[in-house]
């Protein structure tokens, strides 16, 4: 049995969840873990001096639990309820390969996760497009006025800069303004190449 762990990180509203779901439907033995499932309750999330809830930082998440969930999945992916029905294009030699897509906005800035990735993707968006998309979404709790400019975007830039400064980290940056089809086609082909390497 072989396991492939794919990171799908990047900017808020960059299309991570959509891309992860589409890949899951196309890849054999594929499962998703979403970072959004590991947010702490609102009462445990710190507030800054401007009154903004600090959701876009690692401290707002149960990161240890997330690492444990991924490691548990890697130990026994077949017991995670992963659907192993045969798609027509599944080769016999891929039957014992399991793929986990981990999607979230802060995947590569937490050291214990960094030894788990086979591939890392990072979706980017320009400021205006990101702000526009974010304004169409409803969050619990809701974004307060000024939250995007006061917290969300500065934290995105901070963590992205950290990533770019880490020369040892191999990350494939994806342009989130491209069509979903284009992004899907690129990442799917790339993962298939990784699968082929595993089989060699």
């Amino acid at each position: 049995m072989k396991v492939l762990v794919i990171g799908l990180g990047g900017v808020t509203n960059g299309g991570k969840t959509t891309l992860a779901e589409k890949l899951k439907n196309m890849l054999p033995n594929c499962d998703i873990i979403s970072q959004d499932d590991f947010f702490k309750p609102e009462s445990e999330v710190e507030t800054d001096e401007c009154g903004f809830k600090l959701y876009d930082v690692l401290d707002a998440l149960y990161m240890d639990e997330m690492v444990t969930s991924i490691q548990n999945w890697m130990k026994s992916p077949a017991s995670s309820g992963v659907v192993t029905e045969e798609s027509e294009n599944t080769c016999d030699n891929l039957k014992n390969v399991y793929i986990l897509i981990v999607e979230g906005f802060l995947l590569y800035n937490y050291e214990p996760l960094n030894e788990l990735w086979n591939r890392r993707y990072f979706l980017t968006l320009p400021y205006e497009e990101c702000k526009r998309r974010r304004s169409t979404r409803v969050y619990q709790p809701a974004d307060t006025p000024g939250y995007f400019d006061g917290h969300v975007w500065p934290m995105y830039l901070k963590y992205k800069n950290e990533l770019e400064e880490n020369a040892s980290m191999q990350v494939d940056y994806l342009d989130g303004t491209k069509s979903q089809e284009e992004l899907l086609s690129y990442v799917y082909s790339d993962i298939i190449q990784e699968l082929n390497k595993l089989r060699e």
Side-chain angles (χ1 to χ4, degrees):
M1 184 192 78
K2 292 173 179 172
V3 171
L4 197 62
V5 181
I6 308 289
L8 200 51
V11 68
T12 177
N13 293 274
K16 300 180 293 294
T17 308
T18 307
L19 186 53
E21 291 291 347
K22 289 187 171 180
L23 287 165
K24 181 182 177 177
N25 291 334
M26 292 172 71
L27 292 163
N29 307 342
C30 187
D31 215 348
I32 298 173
I33 287 180
S34 175
Q35 191 170 36
D36 285 357
D37 295 338
F38 297 90
F39 271 113
K40 293 175 179 175
E42 194 181 350
S43 58
E44 288 181 41
V45 176
E46 287 183 37
T47 305
D48 72 3
E49 63 278 3
C50 303
F52 293 135
K53 279 276 181 191
L54 301 180
Y55 273 104
D56 287 52
V57 297
L58 287 167
D59 284 346
L61 296 144
Y62 292 120
M63 291 302 293
D64 292 348
E65 283 183 23
M66 185 174 170
V67 172
T68 302
S69 293
I70 295 169
Q71 287 170 335
N72 288 343
W73 187 94
M74 290 170 75
K75 280 180 210 140
S76 62
S79 67
S80 66
V82 116
V83 180
T84 53
E85 69 207 29
E86 296 306 307
S87 49
E88 307 83 77
N89 57 3
T90 305
C91 327
D92 286 343
N93 47 5
L94 286 184
K95 279 182 184 161
N96 65 341
V97 177
Y98 289 85
I99 303 165
L100 179 64
I101 297 172
V102 182
E103 64 95 7
F105 68 110
L106 268 186
L107 298 183
Y108 312 128
N109 304 77
Y110 187 67
E111 206 45 55
L113 278 178
N114 280 332
E115 59 229 36
L116 304 179
W117 309 117
N118 292 94
R119 296 289 285 131
R120 298 181 188 89
Y121 302 98
F122 189 97
L123 281 148
T124 63
L125 282 177
Y127 166 82
E128 289 297 344
E129 176 61 12
C130 186
K131 190 171 187 178
R132 184 192 68 74
R133 290 188 193 182
R134 176 97 182 188
S135 69
T136 65
R137 294 272 288 275
V138 179
Y139 289 91
Q140 277 323 99
D143 281 0
T144 50
Y147 189 67
F148 182 83
D149 289 313
H151 176 60
V152 176
W153 189 254
M155 286 301 108
Y156 163 66
L157 293 179
K158 172 185 181 287
Y159 285 116
K160 182 169 176 274
N161 288 340
E162 276 180 21
L163 197 54
E164 288 167 342
E165 284 165 13
N166 184 346
S168 66
M169 184 96 68
Q170 280 193 303
V171 180
D172 203 339
Y173 291 92
L174 306 174
D175 177 356
T177 61
K178 288 189 170 167
S179 72
Q180 287 181 358
E181 289 69 30
E182 212 173 333
L183 289 167
L184 179 65
S185 169
Y186 173 79
V187 177
Y188 176 76
S189 304
D190 204 44
I191 293 173
I192 292 298
Q193 282 185 338
E194 283 294 306
L195 285 173
N196 289 335
K197 276 188 221 161
L198 272 183
R199 283 162 40 192
E200 282 162 16

